[in-house]
Amino acid sequence: MTVELVTDIMQEGLFVILKTAAPPLLVSLVIGLAVSIFQTVTSIQEQTLTFVPKVVGMFITLMILGHWILNNMVTYMVTLWEDFSLYIR
């Protein structure tokens, strides 16, 4: 196993992590920003107000994009297992 091969595997793995984590994180960011603006405008300083919309948004995001996220991870793992004989040499 060469250094280039290890670097390529790590690069692809990090890309898969970023690609699968980005949608839920972006949804959480947008919901948090919207709730913060709403709290600022209305002067409501309730700490738990941001929690419920974020949980609901994350749940909906994972319901909609869960298949795509799981497909990305499975494709990466299948690729690793298919090339396993190349890695042990």
Side-chain angles (χ1 to χ4, degrees):
M1 183 177 254
T2 64
V3 174
E4 291 83 20
L5 187 59
V6 173
T7 305
D8 289 341
I9 292 170
M10 290 299 294
Q11 180 181 4
E12 187 177 350
L14 289 173
F15 183 68
V16 168
I17 290 170
L18 290 174
K19 193 167 57 169
T20 57
L25 290 175
L26 288 174
V27 167
S28 178
L29 176 75
V30 168
I31 291 173
L33 182 64
V35 170
S36 295
I37 291 171
F38 174 74
Q39 283 181 328
T40 302
V41 169
T42 60
S43 298
I44 298 173
Q45 296 302 319
E46 180 64 33
Q47 296 297 323
T48 59
L49 186 61
T50 61
F51 182 72
V52 174
K54 280 185 183 181
V55 169
V56 171
M58 293 286 283
F59 181 71
I60 291 171
T61 302
L62 291 176
M63 281 180 48
I64 293 170
L65 297 176
H67 178 68
W68 176 76
I69 290 171
L70 188 60
N71 191 25
N72 282 336
M73 292 189 295
V74 168
T75 302
Y76 177 66
M77 288 306 298
V78 166
T79 304
L80 284 178
W81 280 107
E82 285 176 349
D83 297 338
F84 188 72
S85 62
L86 300 174
Y87 303 148
I88 59 174
R89 289 185 182 181

